[in-house]
Amino acid sequence: MSSVAVLTQESFAEHRSGLVPQQIKVATLNSEEENDPPTYKDAFPPLPEKAACLESAQEPAGAWSNKIRPIKASVITQVFHVPLEERKYKDMNQFGEGEQAKICLEIMQRTGAHLELSLAKDQGLSIMVSGKLDAVMKARKDIVARLQTQASATVPIPKEHHRFVIGKNGEKLQDLELKTATKIQIPRPDDPSNQIKITGTKEGIEKARHEVLLISAEQDKRAVERLEVEKAFHPFIAGPYNRLVGEIMQETGTRINIPPPSVNRTEIVFTGEKEQLAQAVARIKKIYEEKKKKTTTIAVEVKKSQHKYVIGPKGNSLQEILERTGVSVEIPPSDSISETVILRGEPEKLGQALTEVYAKANSFTVSSVSAPSWLHRFIIGKKGQNLAKITQQMPKVHIEFTEGEDKITLEGPTEDVNVAQEQIEGMVKDLINRMDYVEINIDHKFHRHLIGKSGANINRIKDQYKVSVRIPPDSEKSNLIRIEGDPQGVQQAKRELLELASRMENERTKDLIIEQRFHRTIIGQKGERIREIRDKFPEVIINFPDPAQKSDIVQLRGPKNEVEKCTKYMQKMVADLVENSYSISVPIFKQFHKNIIGKGGANIKKIREESNTKIDLPAENSNSETIIITGKRANCEAARSRILSIQKDLANIAEVEVSIPAKLHNSLIGTKGRLIRSIMEECGGVHIHFPVEGSGSDTVVIRGPSSDVEKAKKQLLHLAEEKQTKSFTVDIRAKPEYHKFLIGKGGGKIRKVRDSTGARIIFPAAEDKDQDLITIIGKEDAVREAQKELEALIQNLENVVEDYMLVDPKHHRHFVIRRGQVLREIAEEYGGVMVSFPRSGTQSDKVTLKGAKDCVEAAKKRIQEIIEDLEAQVTVECAIPQKFHRSVMGPKGSRIQQITRDYNVQIKFPDREENPVHSVEPSIQENGDEAGEGREAKETDPGSPRRCDIIIISGRKEKCEAAKEALEALVPVTIEVEVPFDLHRYIIGQKGSGIRKMMDEFEALRSFKLSVTVDPKYHPKIIGRKGAVITQIRLEHEVNIQFPDKDDGNQPQDQITITGYEKNTEAARDAILKIVGELEQMVSEDVPLDHRVHARIIGARGKAIRKIMDEFKVDIRFPQSGAPDPNCVTVTGLPENVEEAIDHILNLEEEYLADVVDSEALQVYMKPPAHEESRAPSKGFVVRDAPWTSNSSEKAPDMSSSEEFPSFGAQVAPKTLPWGPKR
């Protein structure tokens, strides 16, 4: 771009009239004129008289030129020139036509700016752009990019400066691109390149290059340094009340961050300009070295209770001692039992500091007054009136009443405490004389019986004798009961309570130790088993502890003989439970699990019944190979032997021990087990077990099929030999979507590379964080050769090709529906290949594919397969009565979803019939038939299914038939069997055991209900984000889980109801309780985090904070707007995760805060935005002596008068200019 001129309306008018800028006078308004408004005549000067018109025609109207303020135009005009050699479209038949004109039209429509083009004599292109400033800038950038030939250049600047070029939310980069009319490309954070690419005109590139280098040079001046200083010397560096460090910061302009006393860190962080930062570091070092040489320490013993007086409010006393004596006082933490206080300072100052420490410690005293706790409320008085009298006289005295304790604690200056103590003792004495109370000792185990159900007994005694009875809570285990009130009533209540207690003493109470894990089993479902025990021993009261208390004590109370019998019965029950709860784990290869289960679960059911054990297999989609057996020890051993024998019969399982030096174990296992996992996977999933680290054992055990074990042994020994001789490792990167193409079908390609080079190639596992990393291990030559071959394959994949295929338009919709889900799946599966279908409405059948050559070919093949499936699609009708549809669908449609996945079909259920009862239908004429005929036709085939019963299945014919059979298999069947009534009891069995066994065996019991008690605060976590967690539990265990309704006050809010098969409900309950157990271990910590960096840490749409929460497995809550502490951020999770997350957030805060401080410093020198300037309320335009004011001598003009408002005559046609019509 050769030249740019900015024309405003004023300068353009000036140019046309030929005026010299000096001839135009613009009145500047000083502060006086602004305060004193102009007169009406000054602001609106009258037009010259008719007679004087000719005389003054040559002179400009002085009043208009002197007094009117120039108004800045909101519309600006820019003119620039594109030389012939830089024009993109040179060969045009006629100016104003072709591609160039279209581009100009597009730019005008997009930006709202007006463009006018003209050709100069040298065939250069002149462009005039008019419009608002931002529209003109955008249009100019588009013109440069689309009408002018582009050049490009690269600017290398340090990687850490790139973020300063981008600016907050990319604003700086956008501004730079607009200003220079260039395109600036900055490499991604994970790209190691430091080159910034600039595309645009030569002039624009030079401007942009200059700006980028300027930003980089500015950042080069700043630096960050950390200095290790012993924690004990931090107070000397900070100085009293942080004055010393404040002075250094002010003088050097460096930001110095000293960790607070509560944080156990020794490093001091400096941020600022390099030279000034060096000065600050030197000064701090000097102070540190000086204090280290000169200071000494003494340790003194001060009572723990007096430490807070030495510290003072907010540490003021410590700062005061430091200021007066220059001695630092180190107080042990509050959670430490130590009473030793250390004084650190110059020897001559330590004596004075010690005196001050003791003076502070003894300046306050703590005293107590004995007063029965029942009198406390009388001493305090109504709304604290009695106490207020004392505190007003002695405001420094703190009086504390502890609930349940017979004393009052006073704390404050010694003299004041003594006076207050005398006054309170006088009040206590007076109250004791006027009121009566009695205390009786009754064993606390009888207290709940004295209280009665819902407090019935004790409330009756209180009302009857007009007394107050205080029974201590169970947690106190106190026997003391206090009765207060009328003397006569107190004595009567005492007599009755003692009589009740003596009656209860004849009863026997026994504590039975039963592990808490058995409590739920003993109680049984809905309390069935405990009800049986209570029915057997009706005189014995059995009390189980609250589950939250984690107690093993079960209390039995009743007549001595009955309690003994009940104890023996329950001990036998517990012994049986203990014997049946032995558990062992058996590792079995995943491929043999189905053989252990057997057809329809026959094998596993047989083993369970014959061994009388509970056998749990891992879920089908789980990676675990461990089977857990629970029951009696002997039975568990027998079940394990049977399961292992099945595996042994099915496969030739061998076990080999290999001796490998222990020092090589870690390198053989590899980072996070990558290396050993690759050998296990390659050798058919054998199990390789290394000894525990530190055991010193060299024995490594390999277990699996014989051939695979030998192969794994050979590879392991070869790898160990390589590690001992010479091992070389190289990492290369490739997009995860390319990995399957590098490995090849059945691992063919990668095996070829391994065989030809002898190097080991390890691809990342699914759980690895870095999915791009491929590791090559072996001898250097072999590794280099393998690297070369792999890089060639990757390069081949990255060579993007474009191909097309023909797809009938009728199939297009299948690929693009559901926001292009099918296309997304193809892209994910085939290396990110881009598939473009023609727009809807066009009848084109050409589909374009773009990507790596192999990926494109594979994607084409997959699309062809999908089309073949679509071509072969049929529709099959399946008639199932509407009343069974809900049962067929399953909870939340889970069964239907499973069938659609298994058979790759679409299933559509009909709309529900509103009136399923057959009613007389009105006559309806359909398709021109008579109503009567239609009805006759319907009546002729009564066996035909109703429309609301027909389920439509779409897909391949054989798949549709299989899906139809699967649907019909889900329909419930009811069969009536006639059995004589007198035989019913034999089928039901003892207490329903026979019928229950039959129902369990044939999976008919689906409505079993189980309630689990969970604190409502955990409910949202159990439900999960958008119900993800609870949905997973529901699907996995095939149960329905119902949470309490928050709006229903009668419903217990802590009860979660699970419905389904009994075993499934128990498994679902265990899954919920496992989640609750994890949640109970979690802790919450508040961390102060500067509110100015919250937005940066949260990131765009919460992306950054979600990443942190996922990485550290914690929940982070930021304060809402208007919160009392805007800096308080809450982190919740497991203790170790919370600590790591807090450290990470604080590091981010330190980094981001430096940017905030920089931007705030720059903001001082920047002009505030226009909307901020105009926030002050405007007074409007004010004039004096206007015609409408009462004190004006002028008469307001008559607007209807043609004499006062004459016409200016006929309109004159506008004069055309070289640039087109004047705007």
Side-chain angles (χ1 to χ4, degrees):
M1 196 187 301
S2 59
S3 62
V4 177
V6 181
L7 301 177
T8 61
Q9 288 181 348
E10 295 94 328
S11 58
F12 194 63
E14 179 190 312
H15 172 71
R16 287 187 63 214
S17 59
L19 291 172
V20 183
Q22 285 80 358
Q23 291 173 321
I24 297 177
K25 295 178 182 177
V26 179
T28 58
L29 295 171
N30 58 25
S31 60
E32 287 178 17
E33 285 178 313
E34 284 179 358
N35 294 334
D36 195 14
T39 62
Y40 180 76
K41 280 190 176 180
D42 290 339
F44 304 101
L47 291 168
E49 296 297 324
K50 289 179 185 177
C53 267
L54 293 170
E55 292 170 14
S56 59
Q58 301 303 321
E59 296 176 12
W64 284 95
S65 61
N66 288 336
K67 294 292 177 185
I68 297 298
R69 300 183 195 183
I71 298 169
K72 191 176 181 182
S74 62
V75 174
I76 68 156
T77 302
Q78 281 196 9
V79 181
F80 51 95
H81 188 70
V82 181
L84 175 64
E85 62 273 13
E86 288 185 20
R87 279 178 56 198
K88 198 178 269 188
Y89 302 98
K90 297 174 189 173
D91 308 319
M92 290 191 299
N93 299 329
Q94 192 174 348
F95 183 69
E97 290 183 0
E99 194 64 29
Q100 185 172 274
K102 282 182 190 173
I103 288 168
C104 289
L105 209 64
E106 278 178 33
I107 293 168
M108 286 167 71
Q109 286 170 351
R110 203 173 69 78
T111 63
H114 181 75
L115 270 63
E116 291 182 19
L117 279 69
S118 65
L119 274 177
K121 287 181 183 178
D122 61 356
Q123 292 300 299
L125 187 66
S126 292
I127 305 158
M128 183 168 79
V129 187
S130 304
K132 292 195 174 178
L133 181 63
D134 58 338
V136 169
M137 297 302 280
K138 284 178 186 171
R140 176 187 162 199
K141 186 185 171 187
D142 281 4
I143 289 163
V144 167
R146 299 179 70 180
L147 297 183
Q148 202 164 353
T149 53
Q150 302 288 291
S152 68
T154 55
V155 186
I157 68 164
K159 188 84 178 168
E160 58 270 20
H161 295 175
H162 287 193
R163 62 194 181 97
F164 298 104
V165 176
I166 295 165
K168 191 179 179 183
N169 298 330
E171 287 172 8
K172 191 149 190 176
L173 183 63
Q174 288 171 12
D175 189 43
L176 203 58
E177 287 183 336
L178 274 177
K179 215 192 303 181
T180 59
T182 56
K183 174 69 181 167
I184 302 170
Q185 288 174 296
I186 294 173
R188 294 176 65 82
D190 52 5
D191 188 342
S193 170
N194 65 349
Q195 300 279 349
I196 293 178
K197 189 180 178 184
I198 306 169
T199 310
T201 62
K202 288 177 185 175
E203 188 184 343
I205 288 169
E206 282 306 314
K207 281 185 184 176
R209 190 171 182 277
H210 172 72
E211 289 288 340
V212 168
L213 289 171
L214 206 65
I215 291 165
S216 180
E218 227 174 85
Q219 293 309 316
D220 270 333
K221 293 176 187 174
R222 296 191 67 75
V224 176
E225 192 169 327
R226 288 173 167 79
L227 179 66
E228 289 288 336
V229 174
E230 286 177 51
K231 190 80 180 171
F233 292 94
H234 285 193
F236 298 114
I237 290 162
Y241 305 103
N242 289 325
R243 284 184 203 139
L244 184 56
V245 77
E247 283 171 22
I248 296 170
M249 284 165 71
Q250 198 170 358
E251 287 169 21
T252 60
T254 305
R255 184 167 166 264
I256 303 169
N257 183 15
I258 299 174
S262 57
V263 178
N264 192 21
R265 284 188 188 168
T266 56
E267 65 174 16
I268 297 173
V269 182
F270 301 79
T271 314
E273 302 288 341
K274 285 183 181 174
E275 291 176 11
Q276 293 169 333
L277 184 139
Q279 288 176 22
V281 172
R283 284 181 66 175
I284 298 285
K285 275 184 181 174
K286 188 181 175 185
I287 294 166
Y288 176 42
E289 295 299 331
E290 192 180 312
K291 290 292 178 187
K292 210 171 179 183
K293 282 178 190 173
K294 290 184 179 179
T295 57
T296 184
T297 61
I298 59 165
V300 293
E301 295 295 317
V302 176
K303 284 183 185 176
K304 193 78 182 174
S305 60
Q306 293 179 322
H307 285 191
K308 58 185 173 183
Y309 308 129
V310 178
I311 296 166
K314 296 182 181 178
N316 278 349
S317 297
L318 292 178
Q319 295 295 335
E320 199 179 309
I321 294 167
L322 182 63
E323 186 177 32
R324 285 186 192 167
T325 65
V327 173
S328 167
V329 181
E330 296 165 25
I331 306 284
S334 56
D335 54 357
S336 165
I337 58 166
S338 171
E339 295 190 337
T340 306
V341 173
I342 296 168
L343 281 73
R344 188 183 300 274
E346 294 174 17
E348 60 272 15
K349 301 282 181 71
L350 287 172
Q352 185 189 343
L354 184 59
T355 307
E356 292 217 11
V357 166
Y358 278 126
K360 297 282 182 193
N362 297 319
S363 62
F364 278 68
T365 188
V366 177
S367 180
S368 64
V369 176
S370 293
S373 58
W374 65 277
L375 286 178
H376 288 186
R377 66 174 187 270
F378 304 108
I379 295 165
I380 294 165
K382 194 176 181 182
K383 294 183 180 179
Q385 284 176 356
N386 296 349
L387 207 60
K389 291 173 187 174
I390 299 170
T391 53
Q392 279 169 8
Q393 290 172 13
M394 289 151 285
K396 290 184 181 178
V397 175
H398 174 68
I399 303 168
E400 189 178 337
F401 293 83
T402 309
E403 192 179 343
E405 285 189 17
D406 294 339
K407 68 172 183 178
I408 301 165
T409 309
L410 291 86
E411 187 179 328
T414 311
E415 290 179 9
D416 290 357
V417 165
N418 291 336
V419 175
Q421 187 174 348
E422 282 177 19
Q423 290 186 16
I424 291 171
E425 281 173 349
M427 289 168 72
V428 170
K429 197 174 180 182
D430 178 53
L431 286 167
I432 287 170
N433 291 335
R434 283 194 290 111
M435 297 195 69
D436 193 13
Y437 70 92
V438 72
E439 290 176 348
I440 55 173
N441 271 301
I442 295 175
D443 197 322
H444 70 270
K445 65 188 176 186
F446 301 134
H447 287 186
R448 63 171 65 193
H449 309 293
L450 291 177
I451 294 166
K453 194 174 182 181
S454 302
N457 283 353
I458 206 72
N459 287 337
R460 178 184 59 77
I461 291 167
K462 284 178 181 177
D463 294 340
Q464 189 175 339
Y465 303 116
K466 307 292 182 201
V467 290
S468 171
V469 182
R470 184 190 175 276
I471 297 175
D474 287 345
S475 57
E476 287 183 20
K477 305 290 183 190
S478 170
N479 297 339
L480 201 67
I481 296 175
R482 186 193 306 278
I483 310 166
E484 308 160 5
D486 176 65
Q488 191 180 350
V490 165
Q491 292 303 319
Q492 288 174 334
K494 175 186 172 182
R495 198 179 305 117
E496 185 165 339
L497 285 170
L498 288 171
E499 281 174 12
L500 281 169
S502 65
R503 251 186 277 149
M504 288 173 196
E505 277 175 358
N506 297 326
E507 292 184 342
R508 173 76 189 277
T509 300
K510 189 167 185 178
D511 288 343
L512 195 60
I513 306 290
I514 299 173
E515 283 184 64
Q516 197 183 37
R517 62 193 173 113
F518 298 128
H519 290 189
R520 194 179 290 276
T521 315
I522 293 167
I523 292 166
Q525 298 294 334
K526 296 182 181 178
E528 286 173 3
R529 293 185 73 175
I530 198 68
R531 204 177 294 122
E532 284 176 21
I533 298 168
R534 282 174 177 155
D535 291 345
K536 201 165 187 177
F537 304 100
E539 293 179 49
V540 179
I541 295 167
I542 304 167
N543 290 318
F544 283 85
D546 190 331
Q549 290 178 356
K550 307 284 184 191
S551 171
D552 294 339
I553 297 169
V554 177
Q555 197 177 69
L556 309 180
R557 188 172 61 83
K560 187 177 179 181
N561 293 339
E562 289 296 308
V563 166
E564 287 300 326
K565 286 178 188 175
C566 185
T567 302
K568 284 178 184 175
Y569 182 82
M570 289 186 76
Q571 281 172 341
K572 187 176 181 299
M573 185 188 281
V574 171
D576 290 343
L577 287 172
V578 169
E579 193 180 359
N580 289 321
S581 63
Y582 179 76
S583 179
I584 54 172
S585 299
V586 189
I588 298 291
F589 287 96
K590 195 81 177 178
Q591 64 263 37
F592 302 129
H593 283 202
K594 60 183 177 187
N595 305 94
I596 287 160
I597 294 165
K599 191 173 183 181
N603 287 357
I604 201 75
K605 199 178 286 181
K606 191 178 179 185
I607 296 168
R608 280 172 180 155
E609 286 172 0
E610 289 179 6
S611 65
N612 194 23
T613 56
K614 182 187 175 188
I615 303 172
D616 294 316
L617 286 95
E620 204 172 328
N621 55 358
S622 163
N623 293 326
S624 172
E625 295 184 334
T626 307
I627 295 173
I628 296 165
I629 308 169
T630 311
K632 291 182 181 178
R633 184 168 190 150
N635 295 350
C636 289
E637 295 291 347
R640 178 169 66 175
S641 302
R642 289 190 63 172
I643 289 169
L644 287 170
S645 68
I646 292 171
Q647 180 179 249
K648 200 170 183 181
D649 293 344
L650 290 165
N652 184 15
I653 301 298
E655 189 175 294
V656 173
E657 290 185 355
V658 184
S659 183
I660 294 170
K663 64 182 180 181
L664 296 177
H665 289 186
N666 279 345
S667 58
L668 288 175
I669 292 165
T671 312
K672 294 183 180 176
R674 285 182 70 200
L675 193 54
I676 202 68
R677 195 164 54 240
S678 73
I679 294 173
M680 285 160 71
E681 287 169 3
E682 198 176 323
C683 300
V686 296
H687 294 154
I688 302 175
H689 298 283
F690 283 83
V692 178
E693 194 175 351
S695 64
S697 172
D698 294 345
T699 306
V700 178
V701 180
I702 308 169
R703 191 183 295 118
S706 301
S707 57
D708 291 338
V709 166
E710 283 305 314
K711 190 179 175 184
K713 180 183 174 183
K714 203 178 285 181
Q715 284 205 25
L716 204 58
L717 289 170
H718 177 67
L719 194 60
E721 191 183 336
E722 269 185 13
K723 290 279 181 190
Q724 272 181 318
T725 54
K726 189 180 179 185
S727 182
F728 187 74
T729 306
V730 163
D731 290 337
I732 61 170
R733 291 188 173 274
K735 292 179 183 175
E737 52 263 33
Y738 292 161
H739 291 187
K740 63 173 71 178
F741 295 100
L742 294 173
I743 295 164
K745 194 170 183 180
K749 278 188 184 177
I750 207 69
R751 200 179 297 117
K752 191 179 174 185
V753 176
R754 282 173 181 162
D755 294 345
S756 64
T757 61
R760 169 169 292 281
I761 300 157
I762 302 167
F763 284 84
E767 61 271 17
D768 288 346
K769 280 188 181 177
D770 196 345
Q771 289 291 309
D772 291 358
L773 198 70
I774 300 169
T775 307
I776 310 169
I777 300 171
K779 291 182 180 176
E780 188 170 357
D781 295 345
V783 168
R784 293 292 181 204
E785 195 180 334
Q787 182 186 4
K788 196 174 176 183
E789 286 191 34
L790 277 178
E791 282 175 347
L793 287 170
I794 293 164
Q795 186 64 42
N796 186 36
L797 284 168
E798 285 179 344
N799 287 338
V800 176
V801 296
E802 193 169 314
D803 200 354
Y804 72 91
M805 65 185 295
L806 301 179
V807 177
D808 195 319
K810 70 181 180 183
H811 298 313
H812 289 190
R813 187 173 178 276
H814 175 78
F815 290 92
V816 298
I817 56 169
R818 297 193 300 278
R819 296 184 182 177
Q821 188 181 340
V822 177
L823 294 181
R824 280 202 305 276
E825 287 169 4
I826 291 169
E828 285 168 14
E829 196 174 344
Y830 299 103
V833 66
M834 286 173 61
V835 185
S836 301
F837 276 76
R839 287 186 182 178
S840 58
T842 60
Q843 286 305 306
S844 171
D845 58 356
K846 187 177 177 182
V847 175
T848 309
L849 296 94
K850 193 175 182 181
K853 191 177 179 182
D854 293 353
C855 300
V856 167
E857 288 303 319
K860 277 173 75 175
K861 194 176 176 185
R862 176 66 187 133
I863 290 170
Q864 201 58 51
E865 286 172 7
I866 292 169
I867 292 163
E868 284 171 15
D869 275 353
L870 292 170
E871 294 282 0
Q873 269 202 357
V874 296
T875 302
V876 171
E877 290 184 352
C878 175
I880 293 174
Q882 190 186 47
K883 63 182 178 179
F884 298 130
H885 286 189
R886 188 187 293 276
S887 175
V888 169
M889 285 179 183
K892 292 196 174 178
S894 57
R895 291 177 182 165
I896 289 302
Q897 287 164 13
Q898 188 62 43
I899 292 171
T900 54
R901 279 198 298 273
D902 292 349
Y903 300 103
N904 194 21
V905 293
Q906 297 293 321
I907 300 173
K908 189 183 179 193
F909 278 76
D911 294 332
R912 288 184 67 80
E913 190 180 45
E914 292 300 324
N915 300 309
V917 180
H918 295 290
S919 58
V920 180
E921 295 181 8
S923 302
I924 301 171
Q925 189 172 338
E926 293 182 7
N927 302 327
D929 295 334
E930 291 297 322
E933 290 173 14
R935 198 159 57 246
E936 280 170 22
K938 285 180 184 178
E939 285 167 4
T940 53
D941 189 9
S944 64
R946 296 177 300 160
R947 282 175 64 192
C948 62
D949 295 341
I950 294 170
I951 299 167
I952 295 167
I953 311 166
S954 305
R956 279 183 173 263
K957 190 176 181 181
E958 61 277 12
K959 298 279 187 185
C960 287
E961 292 298 334
K964 184 179 177 182
E965 286 177 18
L967 280 175
E968 287 171 345
L970 293 172
V971 177
V973 178
T974 305
I975 299 172
E976 288 186 5
V977 182
E978 287 192 11
V979 177
F981 181 75
D982 56 341
L983 298 179
H984 286 193
R985 60 198 181 96
Y986 298 109
I987 295 168
I988 294 166
Q990 189 179 8
K991 293 179 183 174
S993 59
I995 198 72
R996 198 179 300 116
K997 185 182 177 185
M998 195 184 296
M999 290 165 81
D1000 284 346
E1001 199 169 327
F1002 297 102
E1003 296 187 359
L1005 186 59
R1006 294 188 60 85
S1007 58
F1008 182 79
K1009 280 193 177 181
L1010 178 66
S1011 290
V1012 57
T1013 304
V1014 175
D1015 195 318
K1017 69 181 178 184
Y1018 298 133
H1019 290 190
K1021 293 286 182 188
I1022 295 167
I1023 294 166
R1025 188 180 172 85
K1026 295 183 179 176
V1029 178
I1030 203 68
T1031 303
Q1032 178 68 25
I1033 295 171
R1034 280 172 178 149
L1035 294 175
E1036 195 174 322
H1037 301 288
E1038 292 185 350
V1039 293
N1040 182 30
I1041 302 171
Q1042 221 170 357
F1043 284 81
D1045 187 355
K1046 289 180 182 176
D1047 301 327
D1048 188 353
N1050 300 323
Q1051 194 177 356
Q1053 292 298 301
D1054 58 353
Q1055 292 292 320
I1056 298 173
T1057 307
I1058 310 169
T1059 312
Y1061 291 124
E1062 184 174 356
K1063 287 178 184 175
N1064 294 3
T1065 55
E1066 286 174 1
R1069 176 198 64 200
D1070 293 343
I1072 289 170
L1073 291 174
K1074 186 183 175 186
I1075 294 168
V1076 172
E1078 288 172 2
L1079 291 170
E1080 283 174 345
Q1081 290 175 13
M1082 291 187 177
V1083 296
S1084 285
E1085 278 195 35
D1086 291 342
V1087 54
L1089 201 68
D1090 197 303
H1091 66 276
R1092 295 173 292 176
V1093 300
H1094 286 191
R1096 283 284 298 278
I1097 291 170
I1098 293 165
R1101 295 182 182 176
K1103 192 175 179 183
I1105 199 68
R1106 271 200 303 276
K1107 188 179 177 185
I1108 294 169
M1109 291 197 292
D1110 292 344
E1111 187 179 340
F1112 294 100
K1113 295 183 176 61
V1114 294
D1115 183 52
I1116 302 173
R1117 297 285 169 196
F1118 285 83
Q1120 293 183 338
S1121 57
D1125 185 358
N1127 299 330
C1128 183
V1129 174
T1130 306
V1131 186
T1132 307
L1134 294 172
E1136 60 274 15
N1137 295 351
V1138 168
E1139 283 178 22
E1140 287 175 15
I1142 288 173
D1143 287 346
H1144 181 70
I1145 292 169
L1146 290 173
N1147 289 340
L1148 288 178
E1149 179 197 28
E1150 191 177 318
E1151 184 186 330
Y1152 295 155
L1153 210 52
D1155 298 345
V1156 171
V1157 172
D1158 292 348
S1159 63
E1160 284 178 355
L1162 285 171
Q1163 205 69 33
V1164 177
Y1165 303 103
M1166 292 172 73
K1167 186 181 176 185
H1171 67 275
E1172 285 185 16
E1173 289 177 359
S1174 60
R1175 275 183 189 164
S1178 173
K1179 293 178 182 176
F1181 185 70
V1182 182
V1183 293
R1184 291 178 288 119
D1185 302 333
W1188 53 81
T1189 55
S1190 57
N1191 57 355
S1192 172
S1193 58
E1194 295 285 332
K1195 180 189 166 190
D1198 182 7
M1199 288 188 287
S1200 61
S1201 168
S1202 57
E1203 196 170 316
E1204 292 197 11
F1205 290 92
S1207 170
F1208 285 101
Q1211 288 185 341
V1212 181
K1215 182 181 177 183
T1216 54
L1217 300 171
W1219 294 103
K1222 182 184 174 186
R1223 296 188 64 74

